[in-house]
């Protein structure tokens, strides 16, 4: 079962780019990396998913190095509304691994 | 597209009482999950359904927790009897397939307080 490690918390100022790194040293060949965002009193919300190199969508970018033992979620020009907990998950597309949420990274945006 | 609906939103019960939570997934989503999220922790998977069959319930405390998904649509999660440590948010999520490229869609959860 691929385990993930993330920083417990991070602070950043509005307008800056924020990078949150996740370590997953024992990621398997079939595993994808998925990031979720969770606001208080809400369920987690899917942000982005990737397998290798770089993936970009309308809200974030995901950078995955060649060895895939880590990944970095990049949030461009954050605002106060980006204050949330961010979770990194690793699992395969065949449902063979339980998608396990860690404790996540609590990101606080400072005005 | 309507989201995942859960009810009730909040519930307070005394220990040893019973409680049930209801989830209505997104229409057409075959896979349904129940998660337990204790304050300050990430969600923990309790049970996964594929249509009306159980795929994984290895982390469900079966002596007190039960879940069903009749007709492969709505699902209920029951706790009987409740313990203080069951205080948590119970989240329901659904997806078209078991590990979707666009992730799961979560409901807002039911916050349970056991006193």
């Amino acid at each position: 079962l691929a385990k993930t490690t993330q920083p417990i918390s991070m602070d950043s100022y509005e307008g800056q780019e924020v990078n949150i790194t996740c370590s997953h040293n024992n990621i398997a060949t079939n595993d994808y990396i998925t990031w979720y965002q969770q606001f208080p009193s809400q369920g987690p919300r899917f942000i982005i998913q990737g397998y290798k190199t770089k993936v970009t969508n309308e809200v974030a970018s995901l950078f995955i190095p060649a060895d895939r033992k880590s990944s970095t979620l990049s949030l461009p020009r954050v605002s106060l509304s980006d204050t949330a907990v961010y979770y990194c998950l690793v699992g395969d597309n065949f449902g063979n691994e339980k998608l396990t949420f860690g404790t996540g990274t609590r990101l606080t945006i400072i005005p | 597209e309507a989201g995942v609906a859960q009810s009730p939103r909040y519930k307070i019960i005394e220990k040893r009482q019973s409680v049930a939570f209801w989830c209505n997934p997104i229409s057409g989503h075959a896979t349904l999950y129940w998660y337990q999220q204790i304050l300050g922790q990430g969600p923990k998977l309790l049970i996964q359904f594929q249509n009306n069959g159980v795929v994984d319930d290895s982390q469900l405390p079966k002596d007190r927790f039960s879940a069903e998904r009749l007709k492969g649509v709505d699902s209920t999660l029951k706790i009987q009897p409740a313990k203080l440590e069951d205080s948590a948010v119970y989240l329901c999520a659904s997806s078209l397939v078991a590990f979707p490229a666009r992730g799961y869609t979560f409901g807002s959860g039911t916050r349970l307080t056991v006193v």
Side-chain angles (χ1 to χ4, degrees), chain A residues 20-73:
Chain A
I20 306 174
T21 298
C22 178
S23 172
H24 27 80
N25 290 320
N26 58 341
I27 189 170
T29 302
N30 291 333
D31 286 344
Y32 282 70
I33 301 149
T34 310
W35 285 79
Y36 283 83
Q37 174 192 56
Q38 186 175 28
F39 297 114
S41 301
Q42 294 186 26
R45 183 176 73 106
F46 171 87
I47 301 175
I48 198 166
Q49 183 184 92
Y51 183 80
K52 63 180 180 180
T53 62
K54 177 183 175 182
V55 179
T56 298
N57 62 22
E58 62 277 9
V59 297
S61 294
L62 178 60
F63 298 92
I64 306 168
D67 67 5
R68 303 199 328 120
K69 292 185 182 300
S70 67
S71 59
T72 299
L73 175 72

Side-chain angles (χ1 to χ4, degrees), chain A residues 32-34 36 38 41-49 57-58 87 89-95 97-104 106, chain B residues 6 9-10 33 35 37 40-45 48 55-56 58-59 89 91 97-109 111:
Chain A
Y32 282 70
I33 301 149
T34 310
Y36 283 83
Q38 186 175 28
S41 301
Q42 294 186 26
R45 183 176 73 106
F46 171 87
I47 301 175
I48 198 166
Q49 183 184 92
N57 62 22
E58 62 277 9
Y87 296 97
L89 283 75
V90 173
D92 69 25
N93 274 359
F94 303 100
E97 286 192 39
K98 304 176 185 63
L99 288 182
T100 302
F101 286 79
T103 53
R106 184 172 299 277
Chain B
Q6 290 189 248
R9 193 77 172 88
Y10 304 94
Y33 314 79
Y35 281 83
Q37 186 171 24
Q41 299 181 17
K44 170 190 167 185
L45 179 65
Q48 176 184 346
V55 173
D56 182 359
S58 59
Q59 299 188 97
V89 175
L91 294 161
V97 295
F99 192 92
R102 293 293 297 174
Y104 309 149
T105 302
F106 282 82
S108 295
R111 182 177 297 277

Side-chain angles (χ1 to χ4, degrees), chain B residues 4 6 28 38 53 59 70-71 73 85 87 92 113:
Chain B
V4 175
Q6 290 189 248
I38 294 172
Q59 299 188 97
L70 299 176
K71 299 181 182 179
V73 183
E85 58 261 36
S87 293
C92 178
T113 302

